[in-house]
């Protein structure tokens, strides 16, 4: 990322969410982005995922400048290269656990038994194979986040982004999900970028970036 | 890897699983529209097929010729020559006359005089009690329709008097399949032999009657085309039909009726499609998060649109299939409306072509209307789930117009698409199709726009009303109209269309009948005397003058049946006359006058003076006839009366007010021009309605061959026909109301979970079930009442516009029908709303609150 800014215009004034972000992340790194609420962490993650366009600056992902890509091109990119884990899980309520995990595979044109095998393998690795036919409303928060984790790894993305993945979980579940995340990450060899304000979580990262008021104030 | 349709289908199915209940209503709304459409068109096709399959039976022959004059000797020789070549023929005469049972008031009946040894060539006439026609009908016996038996309180074996001669009734005509192709196929009917008709003395030279010749081509006869050609040459003015083509008037009427009712059904389908669009829009709004998540996971807009297109197509397909089944039931209803007029009616059957058409239209209609919400998927940003709380400014109207351009184009496409469907229903030329398309586009676009605008205004008004201090239930009920996802405006439009259409039909029907019954212009006659023989003329006039209740004088004219052969050497038989103007090929009733009267306005030329007769016969021609036949002052017209030809010079062009009897006569000859030819007299007079029956009786006693037509009876027959037509149209348009009600249910079902939460919160705060019920009922009743009011306002506007244009009628706003419409729609909406809400009241609060 170089010279990245993001501003939005509300009814009354302009809000500068990111005010000039420059950094690089190498392949395979585990990076934690920290900072207080409103520092722009989630927005930064969203820009990295191509969920939004920066106001100015450049983002190069895996050697590809994604800044000027249109919506469809971004979607293709996300389908191939980026896995995402949300704070609020964001499972589709009308699909079962297995169907939720399968979704990224199907959206990229996958069909047939191979996908189903992979989905079940992932559900087994997060300990929910026997719950694969259950809907999100039938699962606890922790279980839903584990399904979301499995979904994120379905297409073997080279990059995994996680936005406060344990933010809505109690400490025990949070710890469990974190262990799973790190284990899966090591197994699949992805680049992991984690947004959190939890120091325990960030301690597990190889690199920590601290943000405040839309800027990077510390890197360690 | 490509995102295949099968994957999209899989995801679409999973997505739709949880929405089955609300989609059920949408499917029903489409089914209602398709049901009425396939019912109408299926019945029409079945009717056409029946006309074709039963053609010979319906015609009772292979070929028929209908004229309004007895054949000339030359025409007779052609018929005889055909008979020598194995073309069997039989002659039927149909006319009107008075019948009486002696102690009852005489009534107007239609007579069909047949040769029972030959008629019918195909099919059979069934009498009750059963008896073969050839033995039952003699010169002294008749068979009658059941309405004669009922009205005159007669039974088989009793006597009925016709033309003053007694006839014994041998039975009721239980089945007469060729009646629908006859000249007089409604009203009381008497069937008799030709000898019986002669015995009545009703047929005078110049009497009005339809002469119908039926032909059967026996083996060895010329082909039907050859026979047809010969008959066409011999009878240029005749209506000739053969069994291969059915009756042109019947098929034309059937096609027109089918087209009109199909367009009405299309309106119902549009209502259903509005429901689909509303439901899909609501569905997508509820799925915003899911759509955003899928986009986060890599789904492109095109893939997501594909998923929801599949859902839409599935809805349309399911609605179409159910609609086709429902249409079968609608088909079964039609014979009930028509059995008074048609002996033979098709049975309901599933027609594959109509079914395929219906299903195709269902899918097309639902796709067209869901284009705008589907295109809206492109604008859903994946970052929605990251930053919903940050309210960015709404773009200005110019920007929104640019962003909505695809939806606006889709809207135009919808209107054009439906116009195309309407055009496909049009029977006729390409110009007719374009005209239908044009009118339908304007009506649809204008109608929807007006309804939407009025609905928006009314909702704004209600919102302002809701802020005032009103009872709690009323305030909450009004506030519920603005609940996110309620789509009140769409529901109002959908319900309003149905009410508007149904009420318009009723108001036009009522306006037509009222106008007919209203006091006519001063001096307008209401009793007509037909077929007065010259010998009876003075006596009839004298009897009329002696009757009580006769207002003003009696208008009497003598007419002669004359055939116009040529104008300035241009033969009438060779002129390209089409439609109603073909009547100039048949004998016309003409009269003569010595002097001009006040009510004949000469517009060009000069009427001959009464002082002396012109050297050669002159004629004054009506302006309409002059225009059609290209007749000018000085034109030479050539005529034939009873085989004798003569010429008359056109001396003037005239115009006559519609009140006087002479206005029925288009050619007035100079005095003396018609001397020596057989004359029949017609009279018209104005009588107080209460004295008409007594007058009819007195006249019948002395002059049984004179036919008396009471305008009140004619109006009654006319009214019953208008009522029947209006009933059929209202039957079809009621489906639009049903579709609107279903859409209301669908909208309520779509906001089910929100309603559940509200109910739970209200209960938690202490509201009883009765209080909650009142709030919901207020919401549904107001929605229905506003839709009814909207529909009533527009219906009154349209009806008055139509009546003013068609009949020059006075503008009126009858309160009762509109009030009924408002109340009925409110009640329908309440029932529809509760149908979709019945389980909400029973929900336990904790169940819902725990899910939060």
């Amino acid at each position: 990322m170089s010279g990245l800014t993001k501003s939005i215009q509300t009814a009354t004034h302009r809000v500068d969410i990111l005010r000039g972000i420059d950094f690089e992340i190498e392949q395979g790194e585990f990076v934690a982005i920290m900072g207080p609420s409103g520092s722009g962490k989630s927005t930064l993650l969203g820009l990295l995922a191509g969920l939004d366009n920066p106001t100015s600056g450049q983002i190069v992902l895996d050697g590809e400048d994604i800044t000027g890509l249109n919506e469809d091109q971004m979607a293709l990119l996300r389908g191939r290269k980026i896995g995402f884990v949300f704070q609020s899980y964001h499972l589709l309520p009308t699909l079962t656990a297995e169907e939720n995990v399968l979704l990224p595979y199907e959206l990229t044109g996958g069909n047939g038994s191979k996908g189903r095998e992979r989905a079940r393998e992932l559900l087994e690795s997060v300990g929910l194979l026997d719950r694969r036919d259950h809907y999100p409303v039938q699962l606890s928060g922790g279980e839903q986040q584990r399904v979301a984790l499995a979904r994120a790894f379905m297409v073997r993305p080279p990059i995994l982004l996680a936005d406060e993945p344990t933010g809505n979980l109690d400490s025990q579940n949070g710890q469990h999900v974190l262990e799973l995340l790190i284990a899966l990450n090591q197994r699949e060899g992805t680049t992991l970028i984690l947004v959190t304000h939890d120091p325990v979580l960030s301690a597990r990262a190889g690199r920590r970036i601290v943000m405040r008021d839309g800027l990077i104030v510390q890197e360690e | 890897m490509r995102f295949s349709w099968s994957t999209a289908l899989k995801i679409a199915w999973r997505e739709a699983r949880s929405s089955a209940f609300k989609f059920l209503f949408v499917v029903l709304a489409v089914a209602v529209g398709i049901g009425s459409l396939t019912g109408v068109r299926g019945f029409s096709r079945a009717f056409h097929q029946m006309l074709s399959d039963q053609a010979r039976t319906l015609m009772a022959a292979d070929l028929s010729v209908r004229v309004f004059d007895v054949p000339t000797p030359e025409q007779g020789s052609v018929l005889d020559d055909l008979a020598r070549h194995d073309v069997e023929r039989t002659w039927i005469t149909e006319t009107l006359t008075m019948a009486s049972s002696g102690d009852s008031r005489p009534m107007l009946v239609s007579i069909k005089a047949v040769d029972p040894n030959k008629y019918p060539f195909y099919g059979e006439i069934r009498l009750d009690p059963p008896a073969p026609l050839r033995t039952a009908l003699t010169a002294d016996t008749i068979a009658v329709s059941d309405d004669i038996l009922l009205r005159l309180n007669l039974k088989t074996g009793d006597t009925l008097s016709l033309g003053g001669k007694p006839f014994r009734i041998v039975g009721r005509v239980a089945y007469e399949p060729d009646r629908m192709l006859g000249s007089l196929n409604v009203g009381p009917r008497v069937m008799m032999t030709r000898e019986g008709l002669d015995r009545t003395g009703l047929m005078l030279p110049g009497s009005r009657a339809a002469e119908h010749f039926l032909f059967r081509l026996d083996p060895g006869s010329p082909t039907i085309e050859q026979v047809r050609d010969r008959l066409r040459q011999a009878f240029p003015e005749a209506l000739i039909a053969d069994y291969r083509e059915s009756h042109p008037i019947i098929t034309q009427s059937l096609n027109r009726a089918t087209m009109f009712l199909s367009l009405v059904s299309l309106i119902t389908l549009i209502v259903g499609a509005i429901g689909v669009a509303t439901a899909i829009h609501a569905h997508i709004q509820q799925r915003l998060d899911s759509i955003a998540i899928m986009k986060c996971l890599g789904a492109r807009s095109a893939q997501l649109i594909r998923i929801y297109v599949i859902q839409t197509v599935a809805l349309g397909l399911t609605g179409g299939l159910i609609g086709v089944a429902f249409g079968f039931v609608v088909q079964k209803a039609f014979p009930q409306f028509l059995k008074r007029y048609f002996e033979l009616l098709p049975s309901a059957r599933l027609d594959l072509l109509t079914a395929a058409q219906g299903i195709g239209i269902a899918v097309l209609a639902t796709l067209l209307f869901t284009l705008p919400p589907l295109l809206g998927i492109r604008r859903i940003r994946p970052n929605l789930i990251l930053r919903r709380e940050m309210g960015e400014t709404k773009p200005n109207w110019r920007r929104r117009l640019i962003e909505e351009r695809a939806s606006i184009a889709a809207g135009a496409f919808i209107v054009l698409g439906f116009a195309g469907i309407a055009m496909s229903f049009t029977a006729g030329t390409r110009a007719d199709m374009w005209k239908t398309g044009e009118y339908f586009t304007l009506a649809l676009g204008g109608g929807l726009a007006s309804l939407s605008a009025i609905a928006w205004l009314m909702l704004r008004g209600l919102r302002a009303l809701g802020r005032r201090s009103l009872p709690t239930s009323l305030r909450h009920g009004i506030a519920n109209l603005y609940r996110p996802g309620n789509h009140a405006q769409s529901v109002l439009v959908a319900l309003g269309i149905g009410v508007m259409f149904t009420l318009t039909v009723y108001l036009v029907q009522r306006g037509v009948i009222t106008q007919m019954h209203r006091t006519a212009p001063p001096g307008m006659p209401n009793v007509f005397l037909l077929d007065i023989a010259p010998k009876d003329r003075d006596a009839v006039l004298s009897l009329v003058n002696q009757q009580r209740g006769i207002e003003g004088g009696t208008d009497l004219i003598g007419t002669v049946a004359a055939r116009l052969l040529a104008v300035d050497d241009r033969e009438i038989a060779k002129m390209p006359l089409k439609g109603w103007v073909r009547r100039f090929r048949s004998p016309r009733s003409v009269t003569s006058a010595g002097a001009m009267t006040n009510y004949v306005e000469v517009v060009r030329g000069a009427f001959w003076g009464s002082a002396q007769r012109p050297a050669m016969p002159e004629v004054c021609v009506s302006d309409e006839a002059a225009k059609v036949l290209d007749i000018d002052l000085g034109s030479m017209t050539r005529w034939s009366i009873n085989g004798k030809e003569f010429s008359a010079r056109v001396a003037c062009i005239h115009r006559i007010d519609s009140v006087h009897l002479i206005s029925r006569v288009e050619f007035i000859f100079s005095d003396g021009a018609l001397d020596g030819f057989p004359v029949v007299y017609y009279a018209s007079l104005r009588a107080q309605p209460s004295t008409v029956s007594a007058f009819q009786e007195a006249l019948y006693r002395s002059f049984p061959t004179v036919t008396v037509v009471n305008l009140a009876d004619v109006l009654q027959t006319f009214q019953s026909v208008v009522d029947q037509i209006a009933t059929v149209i209202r039957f079809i348009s009621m489906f639009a109301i049903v579709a609107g009600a279903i859409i209301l249910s669908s909208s309520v079902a779509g906001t089910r979970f929100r309603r559940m939460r509200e109910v739970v919160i209200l209960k938690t705060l202490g509201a009883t079930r009765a209080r909650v019920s009142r709030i919901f009922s207020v919401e549904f009743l107001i929605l229905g009442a506003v839709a009814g009011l909207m529909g009533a306002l527009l219906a009154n506007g349209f009806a008055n516009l139509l009546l003013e244009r068609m009949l020059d009628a006075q503008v009126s706003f009858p309160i009762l029908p509109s009030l009924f419409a408002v109340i009925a729609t409110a009640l329908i909406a309440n029932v529809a709303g509760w149908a979709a809400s019945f389980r909400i009241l029973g929900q336990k609060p904790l169940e819902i609150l725990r899910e939060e």
Side-chain angles (χ1 to χ4, degrees):
Chain A
M1 278 154 276
S2 51
L4 210 61
T5 67
K6 178 68 185 176
S7 306
I8 60 164
Q9 189 69 41
T10 68
T12 48
H13 59 282
R14 197 178 86 169
V15 179
D16 294 318
I17 304 173
L18 298 175
R19 297 192 289 143
I21 302 290
D22 294 276
F23 73 90
E24 277 185 42
I25 298 174
E26 297 295 331
Q27 188 178 345
E29 273 200 271
F30 176 2
V31 178
I33 301 176
M34 301 173 61
S37 193
S39 57
K41 312 185 295 295
S42 297
T43 303
L44 178 62
L45 210 68
L47 291 178
L48 283 177
L51 298 179
D52 205 347
N53 299 109
T55 308
S56 67
Q58 192 188 43
I59 303 172
V60 176
L61 196 74
D62 220 14
E64 194 180 340
D65 183 355
I66 68 166
T67 329
L69 294 184
N70 65 31
E71 188 108 7
D72 276 355
Q73 288 165 329
M74 292 288 220
L76 277 171
L77 187 81
R78 285 194 294 274
R80 285 190 343 254
K81 293 200 172 179
I82 300 171
F84 213 112
V85 180
F86 300 96
Q87 181 176 0
S88 302
Y89 336 129
H90 286 310
L91 297 178
L92 294 192
T94 52
L95 306 185
T96 62
E98 186 176 6
E99 287 165 351
N100 265 288
V101 173
L102 264 173
L103 198 52
Y105 177 72
E106 287 170 339
L107 289 172
T108 50
N111 211 347
S113 56
K114 253 198 205 163
R116 204 166 288 281
E117 270 172 39
R118 167 91 177 143
R120 287 185 185 179
E121 182 195 301
L122 284 165
L123 282 169
E124 192 173 17
S125 58
V126 299
L128 288 172
L129 183 62
D130 57 337
R131 307 292 295 278
R132 64 183 181 279
D133 292 325
H134 287 209
Y135 288 91
V137 72
Q138 295 169 296
L139 304 171
S140 69
E143 287 165 343
Q144 287 186 58
Q145 194 63 300
R146 283 189 269 160
V147 172
L149 263 181
R151 181 181 67 183
F153 282 101
M154 182 66 197
V155 294
R156 294 192 169 88
I159 301 164
L160 186 76
L161 307 175
D163 184 6
E164 308 262 19
T166 59
N168 282 1
L169 302 174
D170 58 76
S171 55
Q172 192 180 352
N173 269 312
Q175 188 62 28
H176 189 191
V177 163
L178 181 62
E179 297 301 336
L180 277 171
L181 179 60
I182 292 169
L184 275 168
N185 184 51
Q186 283 170 352
R187 194 178 85 185
E188 302 286 332
T190 55
T191 304
L192 174 58
I193 304 168
L194 191 77
V195 160
T196 183
H197 59 259
D198 184 349
V200 172
L201 217 136
S202 65
R204 304 289 294 271
R207 190 169 147 206
R208 281 176 294 284
I209 291 171
V210 181
M211 288 182 66
R212 191 171 288 128
D213 295 330
L215 289 167
I216 295 177
V217 296
Q218 196 180 337
E219 219 176 308
E220 48 187 68
Chain B
M1 280 182 287
R2 285 193 57 211
F3 181 71
S4 65
W5 280 99
S6 62
T7 306
L9 182 63
K10 227 188 306 181
I11 299 173
W13 166 245
R14 289 179 206 152
E15 256 272 296
R17 261 180 333 213
S18 60
S19 308
F21 182 62
K22 75 175 178 230
F23 281 159
L24 171 66
F25 289 103
V26 169
V27 162
L28 284 176
V30 172
V32 164
I34 294 298
S36 73
L37 187 67
T38 54
V40 164
R41 298 184 76 74
F43 179 78
S44 175
R45 274 181 70 85
F47 205 107
H48 274 293
Q49 190 62 42
M50 183 205 72
L51 288 177
S52 170
D53 293 344
Q54 304 279 347
R56 282 185 163 114
T57 304
L58 289 170
M59 194 172 274
D62 291 317
L63 196 148
S64 82
V65 168
R66 193 194 314 276
V67 290
F68 292 93
D69 199 11
V70 171
T72 62
E74 294 77 19
Q75 289 170 332
S77 350
V78 169
L79 294 174
D80 291 338
D81 188 53
L82 284 171
R84 283 192 289 275
H85 287 89
D86 296 321
V87 180
E88 187 80 46
R89 83 168 178 278
T90 186
W91 183 6
I92 298 173
T93 299
E94 289 176 298
T95 190
L96 291 172
T97 192
M98 305 302 288
S100 170
S101 65
D103 54 353
S104 69
R105 291 198 182 125
M107 68 185 278
L108 190 65
V109 300
S110 68
I111 285 181
K112 182 175 182 177
V114 302
D115 175 0
N117 293 310
K118 289 188 176 179
Y119 169 82
F121 283 135
Y122 298 98
E124 60 167 337
I125 307 298
R126 290 202 284 266
L127 301 181
D128 175 31
L133 199 70
R134 74 168 68 83
T135 52
L137 288 189
T138 65
D140 305 315
T141 61
I142 53 175
V144 300
S145 58
D146 50 9
D147 42 0
I148 290 181
L149 297 176
L150 277 167
R151 278 171 62 174
L152 296 181
N153 198 24
L154 295 171
K155 56 187 187 307
T156 301
D158 287 346
T159 300
L160 187 69
S161 179
L162 296 158
K165 305 292 189 304
F167 289 85
R168 186 170 59 83
I169 299 171
V170 293
R172 181 179 70 86
V173 180
Y175 182 65
E176 186 189 346
D178 65 323
R179 185 165 184 190
M180 81 164 97
L181 301 190
S183 299
L184 302 155
N185 56 10
V186 293
R189 164 75 119 206
V190 172
M191 195 177 288
M192 63 194 332
T193 61
R194 297 205 62 80
E195 293 76 22
L197 181 63
D198 291 339
R199 199 160 77 80
T200 63
L202 290 170
M203 302 311 297
L204 306 169
S207 292
R208 304 151 307 102
E211 309 295 348
H212 201 185
F213 294 94
L214 303 183
F215 299 89
R216 187 183 67 204
L217 275 56
D218 291 337
S221 64
T223 64
I224 202 160
E225 289 84 4
Q226 288 169 329
V227 173
R228 224 188 138 116
D229 282 341
R230 273 208 79 184
L231 290 169
R232 168 66 57 219
Q233 283 169 29
F235 296 90
E237 77 287 6
L239 187 66
I240 300 177
D242 70 61
Y243 74 93
R244 299 170 304 172
E245 65 191 355
S246 303
H247 195 287
I249 293 175
I250 298 268
T251 50
Q252 209 176 58
S253 306
L254 182 62
N255 288 339
R256 283 207 183 112
T258 303
M259 183 181 98
F260 180 70
L261 292 177
S262 296
L263 292 176
V264 174
S265 301
L266 195 59
I267 290 170
T268 303
L269 181 60
I270 288 168
V271 171
I274 291 173
V276 174
T278 308
I280 292 291
H281 182 262
H283 181 59
I284 289 171
Q285 289 300 305
Q286 286 163 10
R287 292 285 186 273
L288 278 181
D289 278 356
S290 299
I291 291 169
I293 290 167
M294 280 198 273
K295 284 195 173 184
C296 286
L297 297 176
R300 282 165 285 147
S301 295
Q303 292 171 322
L304 293 168
I305 289 174
R306 193 184 286 192
I307 290 166
Y308 289 100
V309 162
I310 287 173
Q311 285 185 354
T312 303
V313 169
L315 284 177
L317 202 57
T318 312
L321 286 167
I322 296 173
V324 162
F326 178 52
F328 190 71
V329 174
V330 171
Q331 259 196 67
K332 279 184 163 304
F334 274 107
Q336 302 310 312
F337 295 117
L338 299 174
K339 62 183 178 196
R340 271 182 67 193
Y341 306 106
F342 299 104
E343 294 269 359
L344 212 57
L345 286 166
S347 49
R349 56 174 213 178
L350 190 62
D351 177 56
L352 287 178
L353 180 63
T354 308
Q357 224 178 32
I359 293 168
I361 290 172
V363 171
L364 180 64
T366 50
L367 267 176
L368 281 173
F369 265 87
T370 51
L371 270 179
L374 289 178
L375 291 173
I377 288 174
R378 298 169 311 144
R379 287 195 302 278
I380 299 171
R381 304 293 304 276
N383 65 355
L384 184 75
I385 53 170
L386 294 181
R387 198 175 55 240
R388 199 200 292 280
E389 66 280 0
M390 193 77 80
E392 297 183 41
T393 25
K394 266 200 179 126
N396 63 23
W397 69 267
R398 272 197 201 88
R399 179 99 202 121
R400 274 161 63 189
L401 207 60
I402 295 168
E403 284 175 5
E404 298 282 355
R405 64 188 185 280
S407 296
I408 292 168
F413 201 57
I414 287 169
V415 175
L416 290 174
F418 273 93
I421 296 172
M423 282 167 70
S424 74
F425 291 159
T426 309
T429 63
R430 196 172 280 188
D432 292 334
M433 287 172 70
W434 278 111
K435 205 190 269 191
T436 304
E438 200 184 302
Y439 288 158
F440 197 80
T441 306
L442 288 170
L444 178 62
L448 286 177
S450 316
L451 280 165
S452 297
I454 295 174
W456 182 83
L457 273 170
M458 287 198 161
L459 286 172
R460 291 283 288 224
L462 276 173
R463 194 166 214 170
L465 186 68
R467 288 193 199 110
R468 293 165 180 263
S469 56
L470 295 170
T472 315
S473 302
L474 197 56
R475 212 164 8 94
H476 279 294
I478 291 174
N480 280 356
L481 293 174
Y482 306 96
R483 177 192 292 109
N486 214 21
H487 298 106
Q489 195 167 338
S490 300
V491 170
L492 284 178
V493 169
L495 260 178
I497 288 177
V499 173
M500 178 189 78
F501 205 85
T502 308
L503 191 58
T504 301
V505 170
Y506 173 77
L507 291 174
V508 168
Q509 170 202 359
R510 188 186 143 120
V512 164
I513 301 301
T514 304
Q515 187 68 5
M516 290 291 149
H517 278 121
R518 213 163 250 169
T519 310
M524 177 85 174
N526 61 349
V527 177
F528 298 87
L529 310 182
L530 316 177
D531 296 333
I532 304 170
K535 65 177 175 58
D536 294 331
R537 190 191 90 150
D538 293 338
V540 166
L541 271 178
S542 169
L543 187 144
V544 166
N545 290 335
Q546 286 164 25
Q547 293 304 306
R548 279 197 352 242
I550 306 295
E551 297 169 1
T554 304
D555 213 351
L556 182 81
I557 69 169
T559 65
V560 173
R563 186 193 296 270
L564 178 61
L565 297 175
V567 176
D568 291 332
D569 296 328
R570 286 178 290 119
E571 285 187 38
I572 300 295
K574 293 197 171 114
M575 283 188 190
L577 302 173
K578 282 191 164 41
W580 177 233
V581 297
R582 282 175 49 126
R583 69 185 189 275
F584 291 108
R585 291 200 181 134
S586 303
R588 312 298 306 150
S589 292
V590 302
T591 191
S592 63
M596 199 178 94
T597 62
N598 289 340
Y599 41 81
V600 178
E601 182 196 346
V602 174
V603 293
R604 275 192 294 143
F607 211 76
W608 41 87
S610 57
Q612 61 182 70
R613 291 181 177 184
M616 79 167 291
E618 290 185 332
V619 62
C620 202
V621 180
S622 75
D623 52 356
E624 202 216 317
K627 199 160 54 174
V628 166
L629 299 172
D630 196 21
I631 294 175
D632 211 343
L633 295 178
S635 292
M636 288 305 293
T637 57
R638 190 155 51 86
W639 297 85
S640 168
I641 301 176
N642 281 3
K644 187 173 168 211
E645 289 189 19
F646 68 96
S647 295
R649 190 183 69 87
V650 175
C652 54
I653 310 290
H654 72 259
R655 192 180 293 152
I656 301 177
D657 67 37
S658 57
V659 172
H660 293 88
L661 200 53
I662 200 171
S663 65
R664 304 320 184 243
V665 176
E666 291 161 302
F667 301 94
I668 305 173
F669 285 84
S670 52
D671 196 24
L674 301 177
D675 286 354
F677 292 120
V679 180
V680 172
Y681 288 89
Y682 297 90
S684 66
L685 52 104
R686 184 163 181 83
Q688 287 167 12
S690 56
T691 61
V692 173
S693 291
F695 170 64
Q696 270 181 304
E697 242 183 282
L699 195 69
Y700 183 77
R701 258 186 264 117
S702 304
F703 304 100
T705 59
V706 174
T707 303
V708 181
V709 177
N710 181 1
L711 201 61
D713 291 338
V714 173
L715 286 180
Q716 196 168 9
T717 306
F718 176 74
Q719 181 169 343
S720 78
V721 172
V722 168
D723 285 349
Q724 196 71 1
I725 293 170
T727 302
V728 173
I729 300 173
R730 279 208 307 274
F731 171 67
I732 296 297
S733 69
M734 282 293 287
F735 288 119
I737 297 180
V738 171
I742 292 173
I743 284 162
L744 170 64
S745 297
S746 164
S747 172
V748 168
T751 54
R752 193 178 167 69
F753 293 111
R754 279 207 175 97
R755 285 170 193 271
M756 272 195 220
R757 272 196 213 102
E758 283 165 24
V759 168
V760 152
I761 291 166
L762 284 168
K763 278 182 172 181
T764 309
L765 296 173
T768 60
R769 283 167 62 137
R771 170 68 67 98
V772 174
S773 304
R774 271 201 299 278
I775 292 170
F776 277 8
S777 294
V778 162
E779 179 190 344
F780 302 143
L781 285 168
I782 288 178
L783 212 52
V786 170
L789 185 62
M790 248 171 52
L793 284 173
L794 285 170
N796 275 279
F798 283 136
N800 277 303
L801 191 68
L802 281 168
L803 288 169
E804 207 198 357
R805 290 220 161 178
M806 273 181 355
L807 297 175
D808 206 15
Q810 283 174 359
V811 167
S812 71
F813 295 96
I815 299 289
L816 276 178
S818 301
L819 191 61
F820 179 78
V822 171
I823 294 170
T825 314
L827 291 173
I828 289 170
N830 199 33
V831 168
W834 277 109
S837 313
F838 66 95
R839 284 201 307 214
I840 287 177
L841 285 186
Q843 202 73 33
K844 295 278 180 274
L846 197 56
E847 283 172 31
I848 303 298
L849 292 173
R850 202 187 284 131
E851 284 169 17
E852 291 282 310

